[in-house]
Amino acid sequence: GQEQTWTPARIGQSSFLAQSGRLVGLTGLRTGRAIDFIPTVTSTVDGAPGADGGWHYDGRRPDVGGTLRWGVTPNLTLNATANPDFSQVEADVGQFSFDPRQALFFPERRPFFLEGAEQFAVPGNLVYTRRIVQPVAAVKLTGKTAGAQIGVLFAADEHEASRTGDVRPLFGVVRMARDLGSGSRIGGVVTQQVDGDDNNRVIGVDGRLVFKGIHSVTFNGALASDRVDGVTTTAPIWSLGYRINGRGYRARYQLSGVHDDFRTRTGFVSRTNYASLIAANSYTWIRPEHSVESFTAELQYNGVWSYDSLVGGGGIQDSKFSLNLNSTWRGGWALGFSWLEEFFGFEPSLYANYGILQPDGSVEDYVGTPRLANRDVVVSVGSPQFSWGSSYLFAILGKDENFPEWASGNIIVLLSGITLRPTDQLRADLSYTHTQVNRRTDGSRVLLQMIPRVRLEYQVSRALQVRLVSQYTINQQDSLRDNSRTELPIVFRNTDGTYTRASAFRDGRLRSDLLLTYLPNPGTVVYLGYGTSQQEFDPLGRRDLRRTRDGFFIKLSYLFRMTG
């Protein structure tokens, strides 16, 4: 639970990295150049139920691809790939969208895009390589030259990723950043996606200016031009922030906005038509050699507007106040507590397809309660790194949004996990996510979401590993009603103008993946894998799992290295 450094370093500084030590006296070193070529062959067999009720497998011809890596200079690397296959990458950790206004973010896991990913780190997530679904070919240049960090990426995607399915979408990203003294930096980015006649381009600039050691100003802004079916829209995204990073007192203030028409097809923006103000002040007491080694108290305010309301002087939509207390204890324990007072405003666009079914069979437009008040308690516990492993717990309890019905609800959110290392060869990661919303009027349950997940790794030898990942995702919702007003049933408006009752449902899915890896050296590898998907089937009220898809794959690659 401690950090040590061999150079003098102060906590009250805007940059810890800038206080690093410098190695001197390294002379006469020969860097050399290396070219790595890694051809790959992948073969898959997919299984699915057939029309005759049997199970059928469909084997395809092996796919041949490869990766080329060239150290252009000691600080600059060129990577290229053709027909890559990412079968060895495990499935994403399951997530649910509690707030439907926010899109879910899944981190990049594919090796080709992870290497040198720090060169494409842009505020606002303007570069999100998972937009490239299945590249046919890609090339990137990353590293440092002439005092500037650079990242250049070009990729061609499969036809299936196109809006029309007729062409291969093309992606291009150019990112450059340069340090300005100790801790300061300025950078720029240009991204483009071309999908036939459609085109999306984003141009942005960002920076961080540090002064007097503990003060910093951050800024970023971008303009997106998006053309679809001959219609072009142009809109901005921007953010301005100020921080004080002292040893005890710290503060952060940030104002940001995303226009409703801002579109990026190479980045990730979780929400548009959004503006936010964050103001937080905290103080940390550092007490070495005591039971409580550090204690931080923070007061934070977060105001949310629609973008047009902020720039046009309109009213606020959400107001959030929080008191956050965090502490670290001797031995590495971490304890946190937060008290949240929130007020959420109704967003008509979110419920545009809702209707209220009247007793006479007619349907009236849905009009939600203008404002909901919340009060939540957040508790977090993190254990030290014991010899056997570690664990964590994060819990939210209190009064929060019942988003499916736009009413006040009683909420329970649990995120927990434990890492076990019983031997040097075996590692087990167990996690459980639980979200539950009950109506405050009668206590009935509206929403239940659960994700238990198991990840087991066994290192048979230095080169041989077996990995099993299994995840059960359950999403259950009650029949919806206008819980905050009339208690009448809610219906959904279909595209043809008809209505469908918002009836109760339950969806349960189990995904399991088994992977055998033989890795004698990086680049030379054999993968053998099997994955299966199962879904709940409910005959006569019994929840049985039925296999819906499965598949086998084998991937072979070999590293050829040339040095000079």
Side-chain angles (χ1 to χ4, degrees), residues 315-338:
I316 194 169
Q317 184 179 67
D318 304 338
S319 296
K320 309 173 187 178
F321 301 87
S322 64
L323 169 63
N324 307 310
L325 307 175
N326 292 284
S327 60
T328 57
W329 296 63
R330 180 178 298 177
W333 288 94
L335 303 178
F337 174 85
S338 296

Side-chain angles (χ1 to χ4, degrees), residues 350-357 363 404-405 477-480 489-503 505:
L350 198 62
Y351 300 90
N353 70 327
Y354 272 45
I356 305 297
L357 182 62
V363 176
E405 298 177 334
Q477 183 175 285
D478 194 16
S479 297
L480 302 184
I490 290 176
V491 293
F492 296 145
R493 182 181 296 108
N494 302 315
T495 55
D496 60 1
T498 61
Y499 291 90
T500 301
R501 177 76 171 91
S503 302
F505 68 84

Side-chain angles (χ1 to χ4, degrees), residues 21 42 105 111 123 143 154 159 178 246 250 263 267 278 323 354 365 377 408 437 455 458 483 543:
T42 305
F105 178 86
F154 296 101
H159 289 87
R178 186 179 184 88
R250 300 181 183 183
R263 299 290 183 271
I278 296 176
L323 169 63
Y354 272 45
D365 291 339
V377 171
S408 291
V437 180
R455 189 178 194 271
Y458 186 73
N483 183 235
R543 294 194 181 98

Side-chain angles (χ1 to χ4, degrees), residues 243-503:
R243 285 178 177 264
I244 301 174
N245 194 43
R247 175 181 174 87
Y249 173 70
R250 300 181 183 183
R252 55 190 174 98
Y253 306 94
Q254 181 169 311
L255 181 65
S256 56
V258 185
H259 194 279
D260 190 31
D261 292 330
F262 183 86
R263 299 290 183 271
T264 171
R265 287 186 242 159
T266 53
F268 177 87
V269 176
S270 63
R271 182 180 176 184
T272 59
N273 192 23
Y274 173 83
S276 171
L277 171 65
I278 296 176
N281 291 267
S282 68
Y283 195 88
T284 299
W285 290 266
I286 300 176
R287 307 168 71 247
E289 308 302 328
H290 288 75
S291 297
V292 181
E293 295 183 334
S294 71
F295 180 82
T296 300
E298 179 187 63
L299 283 173
Q300 178 175 316
Y301 169 75
N302 184 7
V304 177
W305 294 259
S306 69
Y307 188 88
D308 292 338
S309 292
L310 179 67
V311 299
I316 194 169
Q317 184 179 67
D318 304 338
S319 296
K320 309 173 187 178
F321 301 87
S322 64
L323 169 63
N324 307 310
L325 307 175
N326 292 284
S327 60
T328 57
W329 296 63
R330 180 178 298 177
W333 288 94
L335 303 178
F337 174 85
S338 296
W339 182 276
L340 289 77
E341 295 281 350
E342 303 174 332
F343 302 90
F344 278 68
F346 179 69
E347 188 167 337
S349 62
L350 198 62
Y351 300 90
N353 70 327
Y354 272 45
I356 305 297
L357 182 62
Q358 302 300 307
D360 61 1
S362 63
V363 176
E364 292 187 359
D365 291 339
Y366 182 83
V367 180
T369 302
R371 204 166 181 81
L372 298 178
N374 298 338
R375 176 173 294 169
D376 297 311
V377 171
V378 181
V379 178
S380 62
V381 180
S383 79
Q385 294 287 337
F386 296 110
S387 58
W388 53 263
S390 60
S391 61
Y392 68 89
L393 172 68
F394 177 87
I396 304 176
L397 305 170
K399 176 185 174 184
D400 215 305
E401 280 77 26
N402 165 11
F403 270 109
E405 298 177 334
W406 186 250
S408 291
N410 294 323
I411 186 175
I412 301 173
V413 176
L414 296 175
L415 288 84
S416 59
I418 184 170
T419 297
L420 301 175
R421 292 185 293 270
T423 70
D424 291 340
Q425 295 173 286
L426 180 62
R427 176 189 174 103
D429 292 306
L430 315 175
S431 66
Y432 176 68
T433 301
H434 180 106
T435 301
Q436 182 174 324
V437 180
N438 291 1
R439 297 183 180 95
R440 293 183 63 82
T441 53
D442 58 11
S444 57
R445 189 173 65 195
V446 182
L447 184 68
L448 177 65
Q449 298 170 333
M450 299 183 291
I451 307 178
R453 179 182 171 92
V454 178
R455 189 178 194 271
L456 302 175
E457 291 180 350
Y458 186 73
Q459 199 73 35
V460 182
S461 65
R462 184 194 64 81
L464 186 62
Q465 184 196 69
V466 181
R467 184 183 76 195
L468 172 66
V469 180
S470 188
Q471 176 177 282
Y472 202 165
T473 304
I474 299 171
N475 187 19
Q476 184 172 326
Q477 183 175 285
D478 194 16
S479 297
L480 302 184
R481 61 181 193 251
D482 187 17
N483 183 235
S484 64
R485 298 171 58 251
T486 66
E487 296 294 336
L488 293 174
I490 290 176
V491 293
F492 296 145
R493 182 181 296 108
N494 302 315
T495 55
D496 60 1
T498 61
Y499 291 90
T500 301
R501 177 76 171 91
S503 302

Side-chain angles (χ1 to χ4, degrees), residues 488-556:
L488 293 174
I490 290 176
V491 293
F492 296 145
R493 182 181 296 108
N494 302 315
T495 55
D496 60 1
T498 61
Y499 291 90
T500 301
R501 177 76 171 91
S503 302
F505 68 84
R506 176 186 167 103
D507 183 60
R509 300 171 187 266
L510 176 64
R511 175 68 189 183
S512 299
D513 294 283
L514 179 65
L515 180 67
L516 176 69
T517 303
Y518 178 65
L519 183 69
N521 59 72
T524 299
V525 63
V526 177
Y527 291 109
L528 295 173
Y530 171 75
T532 176
S533 297
Q534 296 173 274
Q535 189 169 353
E536 286 186 357
F537 179 65
D538 196 6
L540 304 178
R542 301 193 311 271
R543 294 194 181 98
D544 297 328
L545 284 170
R546 176 177 295 181
R547 183 174 48 157
T548 56
R549 295 190 65 86
D550 72 348
F552 299 85
F553 79 89
I554 179 171
K555 178 176 179 179
L556 310 174

Side-chain angles (χ1 to χ4, degrees), residues 129-294:
T129 51
R130 288 195 64 153
R131 295 290 188 191
I132 307 170
V133 181
Q134 180 58 63
V136 177
V139 60
K140 66 178 180 179
L141 182 70
T142 58
K144 189 171 184 177
T145 182
Q149 302 281 344
I150 67 168
V152 180
L153 171 66
F154 296 101
D157 215 343
E158 283 282 10
H159 289 87
E160 290 80 358
S162 170
R163 191 173 67 90
T164 62
D166 299 331
V167 297
R168 297 187 189 277
L170 303 177
F171 291 80
V173 176
V174 177
R175 165 66 170 169
M176 297 190 68
R178 186 179 184 88
D179 293 336
L180 302 175
S182 178
S184 298
R185 166 177 285 204
I186 190 168
V189 65
V190 177
T191 72
Q192 185 161 5
Q193 191 243 31
V194 178
D195 187 356
D197 293 331
D198 297 343
N199 187 295
N200 179 269
R201 179 180 298 159
V202 178
I203 301 176
V205 62
D206 60 271
R208 181 174 187 261
L209 305 176
V210 176
F211 54 96
K212 294 185 177 180
I214 64 172
H215 301 269
S216 63
V217 173
T218 58
F219 62 89
N220 66 275
L223 196 65
S225 175
D226 187 60
R227 186 178 70 220
V228 178
D229 294 332
V231 178
T232 301
T233 58
T234 303
I237 182 175
W238 50 267
S239 179
L240 178 65
Y242 168 68
R243 285 178 177 264
I244 301 174
N245 194 43
R247 175 181 174 87
Y249 173 70
R250 300 181 183 183
R252 55 190 174 98
Y253 306 94
Q254 181 169 311
L255 181 65
S256 56
V258 185
H259 194 279
D260 190 31
D261 292 330
F262 183 86
R263 299 290 183 271
T264 171
R265 287 186 242 159
T266 53
F268 177 87
V269 176
S270 63
R271 182 180 176 184
T272 59
N273 192 23
Y274 173 83
S276 171
L277 171 65
I278 296 176
N281 291 267
S282 68
Y283 195 88
T284 299
W285 290 266
I286 300 176
R287 307 168 71 247
E289 308 302 328
H290 288 75
S291 297
V292 181
E293 295 183 334
S294 71

